[in-house]
Amino acid sequence: MRDEVDGLVEAWGKERPDLDVQPLSVLSRISRLARHLDRARRAVFAAHALEPWEFDVLTALRRAGDPYELSPGRLLRATLVTSGTMTNRIDRLAAAGLVERHPDPADKRGVLVRLTGAGLTRVDAAFADLLHREHAILDVMSGTDRETLAGLLRTLLVPFDSGD
């Protein structure tokens, strides 16, 4: 079985035999796969009238558990965006009827962002469809291979997530 990366690696190996192009065989595949996954995810989100950033905010609230609310500060940490960006996102989601702002009973100056019924319904449907699509993508691999791949990818990802 060959893919486009095999040709890329071979071509670079011939053109630049002085360089070890082996990292391309792994990282180019990860990069190409990321683009394909992004397209697949965007298609699922679009089917539910959601942008990727909307899905990120709504799923952060959904994962918080009932009553599906977080402070804007916790939301921005969960989604890795700036305060101004989060404020804009909350405004847009509230205008769409997917979230509401409520006073924070523990902090008179604070607010909490909560999923509305419509937001909960939409994010649950989008998440279920996303998982269905991702299962279909992974169906070419055995369960053991999936676990092995997940572990190997974790090894590569941990240094980035830990800030090293």
Side-chain angles (χ1 to χ4, degrees), residues 105-143:
D107 178 0
K108 296 217 186 267
R109 296 172 298 159
V111 298
L112 295 172
V113 179
R114 181 181 305 153
L115 278 177
T116 62
L120 180 64
T121 298
R122 181 140 358 140
V123 74
D124 277 354
F127 185 60
D129 284 352
L130 176 64
L131 286 177
H132 178 75
R133 178 70 180 118
E134 290 183 347
H135 276 285
I137 290 168
L138 291 173
D139 275 348
V140 300
M141 302 177 75
S142 71

Side-chain angles (χ1 to χ4, degrees), residues 67-86:
Y68 314 115
E69 64 185 17
L70 293 170
S71 69
R74 290 208 34 216
L75 271 174
L76 69 92
R77 285 188 296 278
T79 58
L80 303 174
V81 299
T82 65
S83 177
T85 298
M86 183 53 64

Side-chain angles (χ1 to χ4, degrees), residues 12-116:
W12 276 116
K14 288 176 187 170
E15 291 298 313
R16 292 298 310 264
D18 57 311
L19 296 176
D20 177 6
V21 296
Q22 188 280 330
L24 294 175
S25 67
V26 174
L27 300 178
S28 290
R29 284 186 175 95
I30 291 172
S31 177
R32 293 172 76 83
L33 182 59
R35 284 191 298 255
H36 288 294
L37 294 174
D38 184 58
R39 284 187 198 125
R41 287 176 150 225
R42 285 178 181 276
V44 169
F45 301 153
H48 293 276
L50 291 172
E51 293 292 329
W53 67 265
E54 291 172 309
F55 183 81
D56 288 346
V57 174
L58 297 175
T59 56
L61 291 167
R62 181 63 169 97
R63 287 190 311 268
D66 194 12
Y68 314 115
E69 64 185 17
L70 293 170
S71 69
R74 290 208 34 216
L75 271 174
L76 69 92
R77 285 188 296 278
T79 58
L80 303 174
V81 299
T82 65
S83 177
T85 298
M86 183 53 64
T87 298
N88 180 272
R89 289 179 176 185
I90 294 167
D91 288 346
R92 290 173 67 183
L93 288 167
L98 301 175
V99 302
E100 303 171 323
R101 287 183 173 94
H102 294 278
D104 184 346
D107 178 0
K108 296 217 186 267
R109 296 172 298 159
V111 298
L112 295 172
V113 179
R114 181 181 305 153
L115 278 177
T116 62

